[in-house]
């Protein structure tokens, strides 16, 4: 006998602010899940109906078990589809306003912009990084970047993020701060849209999608990283894009599995042949998985920490496929999934990611005098001489960069252990000035203009609590969405504990911040309640969620001046320093 379910109409739930019941493909169909979802209905105490074996492998039954009732967004009413687009777009517009207004302030390079912005300008001129003279920042800030030297510079980060900064400079000029920060602001805004769409995909709830997008839009850490041209905002974007592509691949793979099993069953009198039920069918080329591999290659091409996401997401997508084969009724779902899903998953992500990563070094390959470009010619090798000189030179470059990262343990006034990131223990100060009385914006004796990369405390501390809740929901209720969100946080956070002696900074956490917001949205879904709850319970849940989001927005408005370098009285700045370690 095979379990299938009878589910209510999903569109009414979504439009009412309550997502659909959990898809039957979830590991625990009877478990209440986040986002206001309900257990599957149809039997006593919410137990699923039991179907006859002859009906278990019809296309409808397989789709119901693996995907749920609604197959695509076209199954929703047109008016609801409009809101499914408007809600993510409106949150992105709100975030874009916060990021682009006064983006050119301050009119100077701040913090590590001194490295990446000037490297990006080098890319525009020559396709690789070049050296700069002493006091080059003064010339750059004055709008004269032409002091670039002809000699190559040794850098330890890959090119993608710098090429993205360079694209903004190509559009709006390298002689102004708006031009060199445009790409970061645009990428940060686009990531808000992407997160809202991902939340809608995960939770099937417009209120939760809007809440997730808005919380990321108003969070100070993401805001600061979107208004300064460091590499981490670009790393975060490509990681989030890869996660979204894998979510689409999850549904695509289950559709293919259902279709192939149903076709085989129809040809065989209602049951798939025994050999197919043993391991299941091959599913062909998974295009969304290839897209994820490309995005992960661009993530690694921004910062090497993207490798941890490549490994974590690769395991995650294989686990999803194993679960799909088990739920579909494949007897040898472990061996079948490992061979027919695991191997293609590896080939679709790891080699693709590394090919994309190699392509990001095109400017270095095409150059004549980039750093280490001719190293192999002066260092012949009997063992590796069969490799092209350019490949050996690039390999040596990477070995030297890896050695640098391993030994990066110098003291810094704003270094922050990974233990302190989630509780905002030591945020990074990007910029601080004390304008004199009479300067624009300063009407008192002592003023301050600052950029402190600190998150909204309400959002971050609530997200930490949410992670604990998700651990219980994943381990105890086996909700795949909780596991997916935890995988994103774990891939971005846990590896840093392997390098306790390395100098670290809080702003590294932006790479997994969207997953913290998703964890928070998951728990807000629990507060919303289930679609089958009494009206008073649903109203109370909606009021509580709205109150939390409104409180987060108000708190962000309080902290906004120290995120956006506004000139405020020193006393007002001091009030916003909630911990001594923030100073």
């Amino acid at each position: 006998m095979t379990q299938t379910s009878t589910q209510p109409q999903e569109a009414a739930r979504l439009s009412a602010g309550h997502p659909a019941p959990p898809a039957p493909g979830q590991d625990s169909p009877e478990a209440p899940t986040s986002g206001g979802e309900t257990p599957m209905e149809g039997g006593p105490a919410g137990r699923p109906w039991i179907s006859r074996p002859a009906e278990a492998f019809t296309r409808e039954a397989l789709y119901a078990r693996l995907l749920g009732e609604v197959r695509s967004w076209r199954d929703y009413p047109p008016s609801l589809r409009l809101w499914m687009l408007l809600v993510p777009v409106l949150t992105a517009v709100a975030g874009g306003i916060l990021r682009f207004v006064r983006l050119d302030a301050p009119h100077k390079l701040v913090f590590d912009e001194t490295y990446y912005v000037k490297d990006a300008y080098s890319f525009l001129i020559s396709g690789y990084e070049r050296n700069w003279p002493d006091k080059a920042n003064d010339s750059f800030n004055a709008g004269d970047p032409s002091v670039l030297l002809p000699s190559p510079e040794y850098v330890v980060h890959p090119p993608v993020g710098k090429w993205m900064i360079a694209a903004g400079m190509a559009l709006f000029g390298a002689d102004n701060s708006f031009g060199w920060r445009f790409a970061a602001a645009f990428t940060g805004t686009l990531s808000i849209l992407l997160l809202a769409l991902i939340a809608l995909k995960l939770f099937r709830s417009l209120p939760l999608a809007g809440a997730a997008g808005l919380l990321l839009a108003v969070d100070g850490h993401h805001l600061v990283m979107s208004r300064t041209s460091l590499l981490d905002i670009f790393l975060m974007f490509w990681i989030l894009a890869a996660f979204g592509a894998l979510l689409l691949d999850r549904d695509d793979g289950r559709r293919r599995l259902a279709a192939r099993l149903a076709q085989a069953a129809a040809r065989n009198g209602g049951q798939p042949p025994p050999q197919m039920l043993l391991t299941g069918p091959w599913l062909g080329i998974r295009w969304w998985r290839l897209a994820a591999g490309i995005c992960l290659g661009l993530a690694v091409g921004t910062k090497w920490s993207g490798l941890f996401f490549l490994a974590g997401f690769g395991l995650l997508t294989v686990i999803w496929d194993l679960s799909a084969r088990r739920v579909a009724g494949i007897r040898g779902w472990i061996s079948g999934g490992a061979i027919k899903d695991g191997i293609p998953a590896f080939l679709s992500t790891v080699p693709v990611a590394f090919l994309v990563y190699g392509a990001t070094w095109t400017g270095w390959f095409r150059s004549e005098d980039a750093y280490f470009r001719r190293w192999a010619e002066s260092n012949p090798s009997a063992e590796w001489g069969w490799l092209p000189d350019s490949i050996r030179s690039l390999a040596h470059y990477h070995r030297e960069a890896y050695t640098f990262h391993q030994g990066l343990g110098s003291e810094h006034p704003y270094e922050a252990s990974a233990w302190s990131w989630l509780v905002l223990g030591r945020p990074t100060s990007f910029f601080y000035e004390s304008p004199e009385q009479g300067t624009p914006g300063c009407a008192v004796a002592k003023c301050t203009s600052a950029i402190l990369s600190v998150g909204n405390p309400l959002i971050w501390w609530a997200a930490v609590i949410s992670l604990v809740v998700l651990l219980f929901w994943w381990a105890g209720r086996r909700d795949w969405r909780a596991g997916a969100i935890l995988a994103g946080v774990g891939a971005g956070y846990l590896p840093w504990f392997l390098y306790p002696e390395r100098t670290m900074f809080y702003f590294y956490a932006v790479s997994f911040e969207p997953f913290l917001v998703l964890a928070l949205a998951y728990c807000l879904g629990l507060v919303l309640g289930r679609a089958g709850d009494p009206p008073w319970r649903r109203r109370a849940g909606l009021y509580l969620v709205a109150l939390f989001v409104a409180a987060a927005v108000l708190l962000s408005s309080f902290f906004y001046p120290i995120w956006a370098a506004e000139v405020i009285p020193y006393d007002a700045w001091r009030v916003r320093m909630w911990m001594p370690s923030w100073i």
Side-chain angles (χ1 to χ4, degrees), residues 168-211:
M169 298 167 79
L171 289 173
F172 297 100
D175 58 351
N176 65 91
S177 51
F178 182 89
W180 71 61
R181 292 178 187 141
F182 172 82
F186 180 77
T187 302
T189 302
L190 201 58
S191 68
I192 297 168
L193 174 66
L194 192 55
L195 181 73
L197 292 171
I198 287 172
L200 187 60
K201 179 72 174 172
L202 277 175
F203 308 127
R204 301 182 189 178
S205 168
L206 284 171
L208 293 184

Side-chain angles (χ1 to χ4, degrees), residues 123-337:
F123 275 41
L124 282 179
I125 301 302
S126 58
Y128 62 93
E129 299 91 342
R130 284 162 52 179
N131 272 312
W132 295 81
D134 293 338
K135 299 183 179 180
N137 283 9
D138 294 337
S139 297
F140 210 99
N141 294 335
D144 179 18
S146 62
V147 295
L148 180 66
L149 299 175
S151 58
E153 181 184 13
Y154 175 60
V155 297
V156 293
H157 288 301
V160 171
K162 289 169 279 190
W163 275 117
M164 295 177 75
I165 297 171
M169 298 167 79
L171 289 173
F172 297 100
D175 58 351
N176 65 91
S177 51
F178 182 89
W180 71 61
R181 292 178 187 141
F182 172 82
F186 180 77
T187 302
T189 302
L190 201 58
S191 68
I192 297 168
L193 174 66
L194 192 55
L195 181 73
L197 292 171
I198 287 172
L200 187 60
K201 179 72 174 172
L202 277 175
F203 308 127
R204 301 182 189 178
S205 168
L206 284 171
L208 293 184
L214 188 58
L215 290 174
L216 188 65
V218 302
D219 179 66
H221 189 225
H222 190 273
L223 177 67
V224 169
M225 299 305 294
S226 300
R227 291 176 59 92
T228 50
S229 283
L230 274 64
L231 302 181
D232 301 80
I233 194 70
F234 307 110
L235 171 67
M236 177 277 306
F237 173 78
W238 292 118
I239 288 166
L240 190 60
F243 183 75
L246 289 177
L247 285 178
L248 294 172
D249 172 73
R250 182 182 185 274
D251 282 2
D252 179 58
R254 289 176 174 236
R255 289 190 190 97
R256 296 187 189 199
L257 179 61
R260 282 162 171 74
L261 286 175
Q263 290 169 3
R267 292 193 299 264
N268 195 50
Q271 287 281 329
Q275 61 271 24
M276 178 169 285
L277 278 181
L278 182 62
T279 59
W282 293 92
L283 300 183
I285 299 175
R286 306 270 286 271
W287 298 108
W288 281 114
R289 189 177 274 164
L290 281 172
I294 293 172
C295 292
L296 289 168
L298 293 169
V300 178
T302 304
K303 271 193 165 184
W304 286 355
S305 53
L307 286 168
F308 299 116
F309 289 94
L310 176 61
F313 286 175
L315 290 174
L316 181 66
T317 186
V318 173
I319 291 172
W320 285 347
D321 285 340
L322 290 173
S323 176
R325 289 181 183 262
R326 178 185 63 81
V327 171
I330 305 301
R331 296 188 182 96
W333 55 274
I334 295 179
S335 58

Side-chain angles (χ1 to χ4, degrees), residues 383-575:
E383 183 179 2
W384 298 101
W386 56 275
L387 285 172
D389 286 348
S390 59
I391 300 296
R392 285 206 304 120
S393 295
L394 186 62
H396 176 73
Y397 195 133
H398 280 66
R399 183 174 63 183
E400 291 294 315
Y402 178 76
T403 302
F404 171 85
H405 283 298
Q406 287 292 96
L408 188 60
S410 58
E411 292 186 3
H412 191 283
Y414 287 100
E415 63 180 308
S417 167
W419 292 106
S420 68
W421 293 356
L422 296 183
V423 295
L424 312 179
R426 183 58 169 165
T428 312
S429 176
F430 283 10
F431 171 77
Y432 184 91
E433 280 188 351
S434 299
E436 297 181 359
Q437 186 174 8
T439 58
C442 182
V444 297
K446 193 173 184 181
C447 294
T448 293
S449 176
I451 300 176
L452 183 68
S453 183
V454 62
N456 181 311
L458 181 60
I459 295 174
W460 277 74
W461 294 341
V464 173
I465 298 172
S466 299
L467 291 178
V468 179
V469 175
L470 260 69
L471 280 171
F472 282 99
W473 241 255
W474 172 58
R477 304 298 182 94
R478 296 189 298 173
D479 188 343
W480 69 270
R481 295 164 306 168
I485 295 168
L486 290 171
V489 176
Y493 185 43
L494 297 180
W496 291 104
F497 292 98
L498 300 175
Y499 308 98
E501 302 302 323
R502 191 186 188 280
T503 303
M504 305 176 206
F505 298 93
Y506 162 68
F507 65 82
Y508 293 173
V510 77
S511 66
F512 61 87
E513 181 177 350
F515 299 97
L516 294 177
V517 174
L518 287 175
L520 181 52
Y522 186 109
C523 290
L524 291 178
L526 298 177
V527 175
L528 271 178
R530 308 175 189 176
D533 286 339
W536 68 266
R537 169 64 179 87
R538 292 161 58 179
R539 283 195 300 271
L542 186 60
Y543 291 156
L544 287 174
V545 170
L547 180 63
F548 178 88
V549 174
V553 171
L554 289 174
L555 189 58
S556 288
S557 67
F558 172 73
F559 280 106
Y560 185 79
I562 66 169
W563 294 335
E566 289 188 352
V567 177
I568 58 175
Y570 174 82
D571 291 340
W573 170 83
R574 194 67 180 82
V575 167

